[in-house]
Amino acid sequence: MEALSSVLRPLLQPITHNLPDPVRNSLVSLLGARCYHVLLYDINLADADCLKLGISKALGLGIIGASAVVKVPQLLKILHARNGEGISFLSYLLETLSYTITLAYNTRQGFPFSTYGETALIALQNVAISLLVLHYGGKDAAAAVFVAGLATLSYALMTESVVDLKLLGYLQAGAGVLGVASKVPQVWTIWQEGGTGQLSAFAVFNYLAGSLSRIFTTLQEVDDKLILYGFIAGFTLNAVIAAQMLYYWNSPINTKPSSKTERQSSSKQAIPGVTATSTGKATNSPTTRRRG
């Protein structure tokens, strides 16, 4: 690492030694005074502790940046198709509840924003997707109840007089279970329908990469086993969904007719002036045309 530092030092120090005060202050706040000086001022990559912290911070900020758009392709697919086929509302509901609890827990515990910031952005996108799925499913009343319930829950979780830190800790343990459980309905929906429908590959694979990165950042910056185990379990099920996405890549959703009669009727075309008898033979139907 010293050799690499020697190569980078003359290239980067003219920049890092002349950073504007707002940028420098932000980086000091992010990395701490010591690691800022080691990594950016001295360009010393031999310090393992500061290097791991720098990588963790960079990954965390990258995840937050990516999370701002991670569900946008999913939103666009639903809007374009005007349906929510292949998307489990229950899965999104459970995940949104899990993220709401996790966001409140991390905020009130004072953990670095770089370790949980994506939960807020993804939760907002989840709400939008859930509302679209309900709307296109003809359940607008349920959508209104969903929004009202989520707003009430958010207020309660952020209010000490309603939910204290001890109770919030128990809820965070439950949020880990909810986060894992939220993936199960989606896995089941994909398997049951034999395809991924309007599910976005971009969102699925970004979730997989993000959950893996979060395991690393949590190990480096957050000494909380509840959060760590939740990310490990989430990564496992994200990997299952990613594997399903690959397996069903070119498979459309099965659209099975509800009965034998529907299958028969859908395979035939109506012919004007001709009807089918019970024996399957075509006969001419009476005509009302006047003969002149």
Side-chain angles (χ1 to χ4, degrees), residues 154-174:
S154 300
Y155 172 78
L157 292 173
M158 295 300 294
T159 305
E160 175 69 25
S161 60
V162 179
V163 178
D164 60 23
L165 283 176
K166 183 177 181 180
L167 176 57
L168 189 58
Y170 292 133
L171 291 175
Q172 176 57 35

Side-chain angles (χ1 to χ4, degrees), residues 155-274:
Y155 172 78
L157 292 173
M158 295 300 294
T159 305
E160 175 69 25
S161 60
V162 179
V163 178
D164 60 23
L165 283 176
K166 183 177 181 180
L167 176 57
L168 189 58
Y170 292 133
L171 291 175
Q172 176 57 35
V177 177
L178 275 179
V180 174
S182 72
K183 308 297 180 182
V184 176
Q186 186 63 72
V187 171
W188 173 256
T189 297
I190 294 172
W191 179 82
Q192 187 179 45
E193 297 189 352
T196 54
Q198 304 308 320
L199 194 62
S200 167
F202 178 83
V204 168
F205 290 110
N206 270 274
Y207 254 52
L208 182 65
S211 57
L212 179 60
S213 299
R214 271 296 170 230
I215 294 173
F216 177 79
T217 61
T218 302
L219 286 170
Q220 294 301 314
E221 300 184 59
V222 179
D223 185 19
D224 194 311
K225 301 301 182 185
L226 287 176
I227 295 177
L228 176 62
Y229 295 152
F231 281 129
I232 291 173
F235 170 76
T236 302
L237 284 175
N238 281 334
V240 173
I241 295 175
Q244 287 183 305
M245 177 65 71
L246 292 173
Y247 182 78
Y248 292 115
W249 190 262
N250 292 316
S251 300
I253 291 181
N254 290 335
T255 53
K256 299 178 181 179
S258 59
S259 67
K260 182 178 178 181
T261 304
E262 290 181 9
R263 289 197 297 269
Q264 290 174 344
S265 62
S266 63
S267 65
K268 297 179 181 180
Q269 295 182 345
I271 303 175
V274 178

Side-chain angles (χ1 to χ4, degrees), residues 24-210:
R24 182 171 60 253
N25 292 339
S26 297
L27 290 171
V28 170
S29 177
L30 183 68
L31 296 170
R34 175 180 171 274
C35 286
Y36 168 81
H37 198 276
V38 169
L39 293 176
L40 297 179
Y41 198 84
D42 293 340
I43 315 295
N44 178 15
L45 303 181
D47 189 312
D49 290 337
C50 283
L51 182 60
K52 287 190 290 186
L53 177 62
I55 292 172
S56 177
K57 293 293 187 183
L59 282 173
L61 292 176
I63 292 170
I64 293 172
S67 71
V69 297
V70 69
K71 295 293 184 79
V72 171
Q74 183 68 83
L75 282 164
L76 294 177
K77 285 192 74 173
I78 297 172
L79 288 169
H80 178 72
R82 302 185 68 82
N83 69 67
E85 289 180 345
I87 298 172
S88 169
F89 170 73
L90 178 59
S91 178
Y92 271 87
L93 172 63
L94 294 176
E95 184 178 66
T96 302
L97 291 176
S98 172
Y99 275 18
T100 302
I101 295 169
T102 298
L103 180 61
Y105 179 79
N106 280 275
T107 301
R108 289 177 61 180
Q109 289 285 1
F111 292 142
F113 184 74
S114 61
T115 64
Y116 70 88
E118 77 280 359
T119 58
L121 298 173
I122 294 177
L124 289 174
Q125 294 170 80
N126 278 352
V127 171
I129 291 171
S130 299
L131 293 177
L132 285 176
V133 171
L134 290 172
H135 171 68
Y136 287 127
K139 301 176 181 177
D140 290 336
V145 173
F146 170 65
V147 172
L150 192 60
T152 302
L153 175 65
S154 300
Y155 172 78
L157 292 173
M158 295 300 294
T159 305
E160 175 69 25
S161 60
V162 179
V163 178
D164 60 23
L165 283 176
K166 183 177 181 180
L167 176 57
L168 189 58
Y170 292 133
L171 291 175
Q172 176 57 35
V177 177
L178 275 179
V180 174
S182 72
K183 308 297 180 182
V184 176
Q186 186 63 72
V187 171
W188 173 256
T189 297
I190 294 172
W191 179 82
Q192 187 179 45
E193 297 189 352
T196 54
Q198 304 308 320
L199 194 62
S200 167
F202 178 83
V204 168
F205 290 110
N206 270 274
Y207 254 52
L208 182 65

